[in-house]
């Protein structure tokens, strides 16, 4: 056991810090889930990419800088502490890319990864359906191969950033006779596919980037098949216990949010919340060290398994507690939205809270995660 | 950064665990709680293994290990609800005594006559002839008072200056209390500090206290883990409505929450142990010594206490009325968890410590 950072890691951290200090936008960008904000965030992805910071843990040939998982964790700490904008391509980078690296053909990797890294193509996950949320395996959108094309029919929904994204990663039922986890296929779908329509759905915060997607005889070329036909479920799930389990929410986000709580407390000068802030500081560090410990496991050649379910419940609860405490501290100003003259930091804590409310729902609800923990980690009886 | 323990470290933990499984199974724990007599042969076996001197340097007769090896033993001590003052003796008293003997700084260096007395105490503490227990705050109580030969006591000179003294039981007056955890026997101590009994002040005092806090965190993890394991076993067998109660989601979610709390506390506890191990043995002996980061120490305790407390409550809830009886062995772990979680500083105390650093 050696829990110190190496000289190289500390120098890396310093380099990230200095670059961010000199380059982050001076003004807060509009929400990345609004039409204008989406494009402004894409522009920011380009800036990051030019300097090699959009996907630092990827191989250099695809636009990264080959940094280690520890360096990536440090990068994220610096990134969020600097107050830099949210990442509009997170779902592509953290959910799709690990699968592309694992299952993509050479052509697919060369075709998709560099444009994902540069923000030229922004990705949305289209997995859920009106009748397949937590129970994803009941999905029913058809994608049957006919010659060189899959013919898609059906509906996807609750697709984050789906209204503006350039590409979607989908799971479809390629064998119409199949049930549950069988007969599913993982497809990469261009958003301008003929026969595909999108409808914006306002999210809780009113932002329109959430989408419903309708496929009517939409044709997707076979070159956009990821993995094998019928293996969609295992392709989608196989990387969740690897690095991808760590990628979605790095601890740096929550450490920075607690830092902002401390700042808020100092500005308000109210000491009665100190103990609650200290508790969230401890929790954010608990998540920090479990992530470094998980990274250490991965480097030692182990898999994370269902540990990532525990981490998901923990960070999503933590995120809500942090934003919830800020609203409590703001008192009657908590409800003031963006644009109100007396809103604290232009209503950013309410935005953070509304965003955090989604945490226990997406990426597998926390109830589903608790079932997974109980059955797969603790070995409790399924029935 | 590397979180993995070495094979040797794991082997030593297994050897320690084997002693406990032999000398301190649930039957022994019950007997100790009911009779308040010490577990037969346990302390001697720990001495023989070298565990009592795990944190004393080899040249002083110890194993020369650090807090990293110790933390693994503390988890085991918790898993077995070991009814012995191992925490106080091996994780606080012995290393603090050893550090005091290593202190070479001109202003606080000991006289040779005092050192030779302390050296003898250390030897006897490592061999198990002498049992040393400790308080954790100036106004708190020594534990396992009846079984101890000496105590580490705190003299508060003023609010900023506290010292640790090593005092024989012949020189104090004890006022025994009855604890929820019966073998612990906390006692109020009446005593007078002297120059001869002074063991550690300044940064070394803080260091000694941090040792106790981190070791307690490790013990909380072990207690929580046992409570979780025992409850899983129970709810997988116990049937109601024609199926195991552990198949009900409400029960599953309680236990998932316990697992989440334990797994998220553990890396922070290891971080705190590693942090202590990265410091010099004596912090007053060198000006360049790394400083103790109290937020790392206190957050380990807050997280581990929370896990132990949650494990105790959920274990009781999931075992139902059977869990509420003293006939069920887990009652000892539950009570020890509740007591341990609030020992060495309550969560509010440690949150205040963290808040000071923000």
């Amino acid at each position: 056991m050696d829990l110190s950072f190496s000289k190289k890691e500390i120098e890396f951290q310093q380099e990230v810090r200095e670059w961010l200090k000199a380059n982050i936008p001076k003004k807060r960008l509009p929400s990345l889930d609004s039409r204008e904000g989406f494009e402004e965030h894409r522009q920011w992805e380009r800036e990051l990419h030019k300097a090699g910071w959009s996907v630092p843990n990827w191989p250099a040939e695809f636009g990264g800088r080959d940094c280690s998982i520890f360096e990536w964790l440090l990068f994220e700490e610096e990134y969020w502490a600097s107050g830099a904008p949210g990442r509009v391509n997170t779902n592509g980078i953290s959910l799709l890319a690990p699968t592309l690296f694992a299952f993509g053909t050479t052509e697919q990797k060369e075709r998709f990864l560099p444009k994902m890294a540069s923000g030229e193509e922004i990705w949305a996950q289209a997995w859920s359906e009106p009748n397949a949320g937590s129970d994803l395996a009941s999905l029913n959108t058809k994608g049957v191969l006919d010659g060189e094309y899959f013919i898609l029919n059906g509906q996807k929904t609750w697709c984050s950033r789906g209204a503006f994204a350039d590409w979607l990663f989908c799971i479809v039922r390629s064998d119409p006779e199949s049930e549950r986890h069988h007969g599913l296929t993982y497809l990469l779908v261009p958003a301008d596919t003929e026969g595909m329509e999108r409808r914006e759905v306002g999210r809780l915060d009113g932002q329109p980037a959430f989408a419903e997607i309708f496929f009517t005889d939409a044709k997707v070329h076979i070159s956009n098949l990821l993995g094998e036909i019928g293996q969609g479920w295992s392709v989608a799930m196989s990387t969740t216990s690897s690095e991808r389990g760590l990628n979605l929410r790095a601890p740096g986000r929550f450490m920075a949010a607690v830092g902002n709580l401390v700042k808020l407390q100092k500005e308000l000068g109210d000491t009665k919340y100190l103990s609650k802030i200290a508790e969230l500081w401890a929790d954010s560090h608990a998540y920090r060290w479990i992530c470094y410990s998980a990274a250490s496991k991965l480097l030692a050649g182990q898999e994370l398994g269902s540990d990532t379910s525990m981490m998901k419940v923990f960070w999503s609860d933590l995120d809500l507690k942090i934003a919830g405490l800020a609203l409590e501290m703001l008192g009657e100003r908590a409800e003031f939205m963006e644009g109100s003259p007396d809103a604290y930091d232009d209503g950013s804590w309410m935005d953070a809270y509304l965003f955090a409310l989604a945490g226990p729902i997406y990426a597998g609800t926390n109830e589903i995660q608790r079932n997974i923990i109980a059955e797969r980690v603790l070995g409790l009886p399924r029935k | 950064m590397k979180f993995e323990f070495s094979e040797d470290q794991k082997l030593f933990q297994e050897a320690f665990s084997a002693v406990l499984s032999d000398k301190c199974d649930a039957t022994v724990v019950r007997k100790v709680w009911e009779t308040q007599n010490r577990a037969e042969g346990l302390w001697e076996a720990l001495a023989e293994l070298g565990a009592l001197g795990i944190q004393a340097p080899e040249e002083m007769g110890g194993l020369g290990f650090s807090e990293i090896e110790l933390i693994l033993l503390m988890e085991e001590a918790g898993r077995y609800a070991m009814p012995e003052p191992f925490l106080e003796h091996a994780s606080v008293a012995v290393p603090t005594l050893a550090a005091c003997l290593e202190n070479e700084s001109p202003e606080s260096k000991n006289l040779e006559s005092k050192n030779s007395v302390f050296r003898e105490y250390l030897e006897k503490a490592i061999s198990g002839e002498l049992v040393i227990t400790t308080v954790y705050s100036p106004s708190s109580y020594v534990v396992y008072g009846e079984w101890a030969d000496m105590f580490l006591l705190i003299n508060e000179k003023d609010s900023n200056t506290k010292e640790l003294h090593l005092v024989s039981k012949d020189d104090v007056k004890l006022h025994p209390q009855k604890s929820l955890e019966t073998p612990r026997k906390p006692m109020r101590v009446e005593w007078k500090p002297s120059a001869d009994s002074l063991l550690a002040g300044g940064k070394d005092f803080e260091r000694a206290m941090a040792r106790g806090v981190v070791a307690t965190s490790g013990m909380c993890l072990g207690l929580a883990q046992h409570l979780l394991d025992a409850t899983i076993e129970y709810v997988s067998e116990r049937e109601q409505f024609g199926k195991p109660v552990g198949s009900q989601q409400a029960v599953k979610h309680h236990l998932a929450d316990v697992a989440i709390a334990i797994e998220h506390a553990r890396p922070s506890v290891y971080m705190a142990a590693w942090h202590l191990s990265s410091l010099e043995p004596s912090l007053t002996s060198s000006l360049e010594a790394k400083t103790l980061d109290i937020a790392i120490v206190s957050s380990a305790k807050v997280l581990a206490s929370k896990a132990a407390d949650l494990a105790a409550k959920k274990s009781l809830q999931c075992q139902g009325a059977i869990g509420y009886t003293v006939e069920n062995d887990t009652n000892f772990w539950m009570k020890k968890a509740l007591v341990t979680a609030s020992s060495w500083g309550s969560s509010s105390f440690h949150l205040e410590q963290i808040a000071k650093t923000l």
Side-chain angles (χ1 to χ4, degrees), chain A residues 313-347:
Chain A
V313 174
F314 191 87
W315 65 248
S316 55
D317 281 349
L318 172 60
D319 203 22
L320 257 180
K321 283 187 213 160
I322 295 171
L325 179 57
L327 295 187
E328 191 186 336
M329 288 165 72
L330 285 169
E332 60 184 5
R333 287 199 292 160
E335 68 182 275
F336 296 169
M337 302 292 283
E338 196 179 345
S340 308
D342 290 356
Y344 178 85
D345 192 29
D346 210 15

Side-chain angles (χ1 to χ4, degrees), chain B residues 157-174:
Chain B
K157 295 176 91 174
D158 57 61
S159 61
N160 290 320
T161 324
K162 289 182 199 133
E163 307 165 332
L164 209 49
H165 287 253
L166 181 60
V167 185
S168 162
K169 79 167 167 200
D170 301 331
D171 299 329
V172 302
K173 193 166 176 224
L174 295 166

Side-chain angles (χ1 to χ4, degrees), chain A residues 342-381:
Chain A
D342 290 356
Y344 178 85
D345 192 29
D346 210 15
S348 67
W349 279 113
M350 183 56 86
D351 282 347
Y353 185 71
L354 291 173
F355 186 71
L357 279 174
I361 301 169
Y362 60 72
T365 64
N366 286 7
E367 287 70 26
I368 293 287
Q369 304 296 349
R370 286 185 173 94
N371 288 351
I372 293 174
I373 296 161
E375 288 165 16
R376 298 194 204 150
V377 183
L378 308 182
L380 289 172

Side-chain angles (χ1 to χ4, degrees), chain A residues 182-248:
Chain A
H182 306 285
L184 300 176
T185 292
Y186 199 126
L187 291 181
L188 308 175
V189 180
D192 57 5
T193 300
E194 211 178 306
M196 181 187 129
E197 277 176 64
R198 333 190 230 190
R199 187 178 79 85
E200 291 175 7
V201 178
R203 248 177 13 181
L204 210 55
D205 59 1
Q207 298 297 351
F210 226 26
E212 280 184 310
I213 315 276
F214 301 91
F215 297 109
T216 316
D217 291 330
K219 286 163 76 178
V220 176
H221 194 258
I222 192 164
S223 59
N224 292 336
L225 162 69
L226 188 54
E228 286 173 38
I229 295 181
Q231 297 299 310
W233 186 266
S234 58
V235 171
M237 299 301 151
S238 65
T239 56
T240 52
S241 65
S242 66
E243 203 179 325
R244 179 172 129 193
L246 284 183
N247 273 0
L248 187 60

